[in-house]
């Protein structure tokens, strides 16, 4: 029940165990095209979409490095660990990094982007995290993207933990470069980083030196191969074909009853777990109005030894949850309601294990009862 990597469904694991087909030719391209088409449904986009090999950060690195040249100004939203990571990616490309910050647990304020863009000329792109996994805060992406359009500045979005799990309309909201990864809401092992690129982003890349940064993570190279080798090999390198076959299995499952039905699983699971934690006297770290159903972040009660609690869950109940990151390390714990873990079974097991832990530690519950189910 960590917020990624996810616990993987059996049919996806079975798909992974098949012999790996070669990454080119007609038979393979059918699989590849199906996966790209299904991802475009999940992204809700008609933009170009590539399957980069690597972690989610591979795609973010490619987005930042392709859209800008050394010395360009980029405006990054920072309200947690992954926003901060985006600033490091940009700094390492030699960009001039400007930030809009909010404290951990609070969302970014779209108005601040608007004020900043009015006051500071020459910003070449915005970069923001949709769902800040370190705190569970869901940033107001649609509003921030609308502002980026108003100022004609392309926006890069880290949707690593949110894509496929909650509504996100790449075309409807005007997300220029959107990055996710296989091992969060897409329900697969790590290794594939889908990335979509809008016409506006391509236009900006055309204006910049096309080969300013590297080769594999240079999106212009990907566009060139998609055009030149479209008949047999529309990407620059080999692909992790069995990971992509597994992704096809997972995408078929995600889309089987419509993506809304898949989103709804997360809503149900979050509701069950949050209501149960509330009955047990826990307090959420991120207020309900600025979070998503995918990640629950919970304040550590003063009496609780987080390391001991997590060890109890893992050793005695085989449930893995996550702690906080950086300054929140000993202050919060985090639960993911994604993939296989977004089920009544997982939710109830977690709640009954937590109740037992509280009882063992002499805790009583606010309503005087001992219900956790
Ligand atoms: C997990 C995560 C990342 C990092 O993904 P990797 O696949 O480890 O590179 C980046 N951003 C967010 C919001 C995440 O949740």
């Amino acid at each position: 029940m960590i917020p990624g990597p996810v616990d993987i469904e059996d049919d996806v694991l079975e798909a992974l165990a098949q012999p790996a087909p070669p990454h080119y030719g007609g038979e393979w391209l059918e699989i590849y095209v199906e996966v790209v088409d299904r991802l475009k449904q999940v992204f809700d986009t008609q933009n170009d979409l590539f399957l980069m090999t690597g972690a989610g950060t591979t795609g973010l690195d490619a987005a930042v490095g392709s859209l800008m040249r050394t010395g360009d100004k980029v405006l990054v939203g920072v309200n947690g660990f992954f926003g901060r990571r985006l600033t490091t990616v940009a700094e390492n490309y030699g960009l001039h990094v400007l930030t809009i910050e909010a404290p951990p647990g609070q969302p970014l304020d779209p108005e601040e982007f608007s004020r900043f863009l009015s006051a500071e000329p020459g910003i070449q792109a915005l970069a923001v995290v949709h769902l800040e996994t370190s705190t569970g805060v869901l940033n107001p992406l649609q509003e921030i993207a609308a502002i980026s359009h108003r100022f004609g500045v392309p926006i890069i979005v880290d949707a690593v933990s949110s894509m496929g799990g909650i509504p996100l309309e790449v075309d409807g909201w005007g997300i220029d470069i959107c990055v996710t990864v296989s091992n969060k809401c897409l329900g697969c092992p790590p290794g594939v980083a889908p990335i979509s690129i809008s016409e506006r982003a391509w236009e900006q890349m055309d204006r910049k030196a096309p080969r300013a940064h590297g080769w594999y993570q240079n999106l212009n190279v990907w566009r060139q191969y998609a055009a030149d080798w479209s008949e047999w090999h529309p990407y620059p390198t080999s692909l992790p074909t069995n990971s992509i076959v597994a992704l096809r299995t997972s995408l078929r499952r995600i889309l089987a009853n419509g993506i809304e039905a898949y989103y709804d699983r997360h809503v149900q699971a979050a509701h069950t777990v949050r209501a149960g934690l509330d009955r047990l006297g826990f307090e959420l770290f991120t207020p309900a109005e600025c979070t998503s159903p995918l990640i629950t972040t919970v304040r550590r009660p003063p009496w609780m030894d987080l390391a001991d609690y997590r060890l109890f869950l893992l050793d005695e109940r085989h449930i893995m949850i996550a702690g906080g990151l950086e300054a929140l390390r000993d202050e919060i714990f985090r639960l993911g309601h994604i993939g296989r873990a977004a089920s009544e079974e997982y939710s109830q097991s977690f709640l009954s294990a937590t109740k037992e832990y509280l009882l063992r530690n002499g805790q009583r519950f606010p309503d005087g009862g001992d219900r956790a189910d």
Side-chain angles (χ1 to χ4, degrees):
M1 295 181 77
I2 58 177
V6 285
D7 207 1
I8 298 162
E9 301 279 3
D10 290 339
D11 56 352
V12 177
L13 291 175
E14 278 158 24
L16 258 184
Q18 303 309 308
H23 61 278
Y24 48 78
E27 221 171 295
W28 167 254
L29 274 191
E30 249 176 65
I31 296 172
Y32 174 80
V33 167
E34 178 183 338
V35 170
V36 169
D37 284 349
R38 288 184 185 272
L39 280 167
K40 285 184 181 182
Q41 286 179 54
V42 172
F43 276 54
D44 207 349
T45 190
Q46 307 208 5
N47 288 340
D48 290 327
L49 189 148
F50 301 134
L51 304 182
M52 302 192 82
T53 300
T57 311
T58 311
L60 296 168
D61 214 308
V64 171
S66 300
L67 203 51
M68 285 164 284
R69 276 194 299 212
T70 306
D72 279 351
K73 283 187 205 166
V74 60
L75 181 59
V76 183
V78 179
N79 58 341
F81 180 86
F82 290 106
R84 184 76 55 204
R85 165 82 52 87
L86 282 177
T87 66
T88 311
V89 170
E91 277 161 10
N92 288 2
Y93 274 113
L95 303 185
H96 180 158
V97 181
L98 302 158
T99 58
I100 294 213
E101 313 221 0
Q106 296 297 319
L108 297 167
D109 178 2
E111 281 314 307
E112 281 192 50
F113 284 85
S114 185
R115 279 195 292 274
F116 207 107
L117 287 163
S118 304
E120 180 84 32
I123 290 174
Q124 297 295 305
L126 305 189
V128 293
V129 176
H130 185 207
L131 174 59
E132 177 49 76
T133 310
S134 63
T135 58
V137 170
L138 186 65
N139 283 314
L141 178 59
Q142 190 176 358
E143 288 81 354
I144 297 171
I147 289 162
S148 86
H149 274 262
R150 189 138 51 77
F151 287 88
V153 177
I155 181 167
I156 297 168
V157 173
D158 171 349
V160 170
S161 58
S162 56
M163 181 58 80
I166 50 175
L168 202 185
E169 300 173 26
V170 167
D171 288 358
W173 298 358
I175 310 301
D176 294 288
I177 302 192
C178 193
V179 177
T180 193
V181 78
S182 48
N183 55 295
K184 296 203 178 166
C185 298
L186 299 178
C188 287
V192 183
I195 178 169
S196 70
I197 300 111
S198 74
E199 206 43 54
R200 185 169 70 160
W202 285 130
E203 283 162 16
Q204 173 151 322
M205 283 186 255
D206 285 339
R207 290 197 303 274
K208 308 277 169 186
R211 293 183 189 280
H213 292 299
W215 192 79
Y216 184 75
Q217 285 174 201
N218 184 334
L219 293 171
N220 283 292
V221 172
W222 284 75
R223 179 169 52 167
Q224 195 184 323
Y225 277 82
D228 297 351
W229 286 10
S230 65
E231 295 304 312
W232 74 293
H233 189 312
Y235 23 79
T237 63
S238 310
L239 294 180
T241 49
N242 46 355
S243 296
I244 291 172
V245 171
L247 184 54
R248 178 177 65 166
T249 303
S250 195
L251 287 164
R252 284 178 175 173
R253 167 195 287 279
I254 289 169
L255 295 167
N257 302 310
I259 190 122
E260 271 78 21
Y262 189 68
Y263 295 157
D264 200 47
R265 285 166 43 92
H266 310 132
V267 174
Q268 298 298 332
H271 177 78
T272 301
V273 169
R274 289 172 194 174
L277 285 169
D278 184 58
R279 282 198 299 276
L280 293 172
F282 286 96
E283 198 189 324
L284 297 188
F285 173 73
T286 298
E289 62 277 10
C290 53
T291 191
S292 81
L294 302 174
I295 301 167
T296 296
T297 48
V298 188
R299 271 186 208 283
R300 176 183 64 82
W303 62 268
M304 187 188 248
D305 176 344
L306 266 187
D308 183 65
Y309 168 56
R310 288 174 63 196
L311 203 64
F312 162 80
L313 290 177
L314 192 59
D315 279 0
E316 298 195 31
R317 299 302 184 90
H318 306 293
I319 297 170
M320 183 184 281
I321 66 167
L325 292 171
E326 301 181 314
L328 295 170
R329 202 180 141 77
D330 288 318
E331 301 311 316
I332 63 172
F333 58 92
R334 297 177 301 142
L335 301 158
H337 313 294
I338 52 179
R340 197 171 194 157
S343 69
E344 191 63 16
E345 185 197 340
Y346 276 63
S347 303
Q348 294 301 347
S349 303
F350 164 75
L351 288 172
S352 75
T354 296
K355 187 175 105 176
E356 186 184 328
Y357 184 78
L358 297 189
L359 289 170
R360 277 196 200 181
N361 282 275
Q363 297 300 308
R364 291 293 164 263
F365 309 122
D367 61 4
D370 61 354
R371 295 176 298 121
D373 41 38

